Amino acid sequence: MPHPPPHLADLERYSPMIVEPDDFEQFWSDTLAEATTRPVLVDVRPEPTDLPLLDCWNVTFAGFGGDPVRAWYTRAAGARGPLPAVVEYAGYGRGRGLPHERLTWPVAGYAHLLMDNRGQAGQYGAGDTPDPHGAPGGPWPATWGILDPRDYHYRRLITDAVRAVEAVRALPGVDAGRVAVVGNSQGGGLALAVSGLVDDLAAVLSTAPFLCDMRRAVQLSDVPPYGEIAHYLAVHREAEEAVWRTLSYMDAVSLARRATAPAHFGIGLRDTVCPPRTGFAAYNQYGAASGRPVPPEREMHVYPFNGHEGGEAVHVRRQLRWLGARLRPTD
């Protein structure tokens, strides 16, 4: 039986204490310092798309460990820069697909970088970025290397996501001071994680975010990705302490607390994939530890009768209007 949708008033008050390891900030500082020892752009070459109104480049950038990560860089044909940029992160089990699959942001006047998910392609969309690092854990991306935070898949994926921001800033035709990050589900969780690791973003847009309040999420959701972690623990009963410790380094609530950029959220109250309570945990604490006297602006859109699909096209329209008012892509 599905859980009944939570009351909105309860969600607006939900602000759990997410336990952070003592070396949480040092862990991420060391991880990103190692990644930035390498030049970010590896290869940039034009990509034909059969769309005369779109210019596209096939980008390879150096992610975690210097591993090559693929991305599509697109913008309106003949657009004059520098343009504000949107870095987009794909959902769980998706790759970057083909360059004509995601047209919203370049058509809206932005330079658009769509990052491939290392090792995840094939469940929903094609991709071509491998994850060459192996470690003990389960068979699904959510459980790869889950016994140690240094080996965990999401340490690598979050690092890739940070490096994608550095990559778009190094590309031609981009206004490096006007970069937003956006994503849905896993992509929304990555956008929140990046918000706390990159301190000069222009905006953050996160919908139905994964990676939030993860210990609680594993208890609430029976379906992938959280259900995969529960399934792993159902078999590896002795691994529970190690799993919770690993997840505590990756929780996007802890990272979003350090965010400084304005943020736009969307959540469906009937979401059983990424339970709304966990997304509200990130929203309610967003920017609380930013070190600024006034927390950053944040805005939430709730869809009471929708699940993981959220507001779909209605929500995208709200995102376009919200981001356009801040970055003015047509200037």
Side-chain angles (χ1 to χ4, degrees):
M1 293 291 291
H3 297 288
H7 294 292
L8 182 58
D10 293 337
L11 296 177
E12 291 172 340
R13 293 190 296 266
Y14 183 64
S15 186
M17 288 293 295
I18 307 296
V19 177
E20 294 181 7
D22 292 340
D23 64 340
F24 179 84
E25 292 194 354
Q26 191 65 51
F27 174 86
W28 282 111
S29 176
D30 291 346
T31 296
L32 298 181
E34 193 281 331
T36 56
T37 60
R38 303 171 179 85
V40 67
L41 290 181
V42 176
D43 187 62
V44 181
R45 60 185 65 190
E47 179 73 16
T49 65
D50 302 311
L51 298 175
L53 301 183
L54 187 75
D55 287 338
C56 180
W57 291 263
N58 193 348
V59 173
T60 303
F61 66 90
F64 176 88
D67 298 336
V69 178
R70 313 298 185 193
W72 297 124
Y73 174 49
T74 54
R75 64 189 189 202
R80 295 181 179 180
L83 300 176
V86 169
V87 177
E88 184 175 4
Y89 308 116
Y92 189 73
R94 295 183 184 274
R96 62 175 177 161
L98 296 174
H100 60 264
E101 292 184 50
R102 308 264 183 137
L103 300 180
T104 297
W105 298 111
V107 169
Y110 299 93
H112 179 227
L113 187 78
L114 175 63
M115 186 186 87
D116 204 14
N117 287 324
R118 61 166 61 218
Q120 289 192 19
Q123 187 174 354
Y124 297 108
D128 50 4
T129 299
D131 187 0
H133 303 268
W140 312 280
T143 59
W144 291 344
I146 200 169
L147 297 179
D148 191 315
R150 295 168 297 182
D151 298 330
Y152 194 35
H153 175 68
Y154 281 93
R155 181 192 182 208
R156 302 190 288 278
L157 197 59
I158 291 171
T159 302
D160 292 347
V162 170
R163 292 286 276 171
V165 174
E166 298 173 19
V168 82
R169 285 176 165 160
L171 288 167
V174 170
D175 182 345
R178 294 191 294 166
V179 175
V181 292
V182 61
N184 177 73
S185 191
Q186 176 183 265
L190 290 175
L192 290 176
V194 172
S195 77
L197 295 170
V198 179
D199 61 7
D200 56 351
L201 293 171
V204 177
L205 298 95
S206 176
T207 310
F210 179 46
L211 301 175
C212 295
D213 194 7
M214 294 182 76
R215 185 163 184 163
R216 179 68 171 147
V218 172
Q219 296 167 342
L220 289 174
S221 178
D222 295 327
V223 298
Y226 291 120
E228 295 169 348
I229 298 173
H231 184 77
Y232 177 82
L233 289 172
V235 176
H236 301 275
R237 300 169 181 86
E238 76 291 346
E240 185 174 357
E241 182 178 352
V243 166
W244 297 140
R245 177 176 179 271
T246 294
L247 296 182
S248 70
Y249 285 90
M250 313 298 155
D251 203 303
V253 175
S254 294
L255 290 163
R257 292 182 75 248
R258 294 161 166 83
T260 59
H264 185 280
F265 285 75
I267 286 177
L269 292 192
R270 295 172 180 257
D271 192 342
T272 59
V273 178
C274 295
R277 185 172 301 275
T278 64
F280 266 91
Y283 173 77
N284 291 335
Q285 298 188 44
Y286 185 86
S290 64
R292 298 188 176 185
V294 179
E297 169 199 0
R298 69 194 200 296
E299 182 175 306
M300 171 66 81
H301 293 272
V302 174
Y303 302 94
F305 300 101
N306 288 100
H308 197 54
E309 78 282 3
E312 296 185 310
V314 169
H315 188 67
V316 172
R317 182 171 58 190
R318 289 172 170 168
Q319 289 180 317
L320 286 166
R321 291 173 177 173
W322 183 86
L323 189 60
R326 284 151 185 81
L327 297 194
R328 301 184 182 278
T330 58
D331 279 358

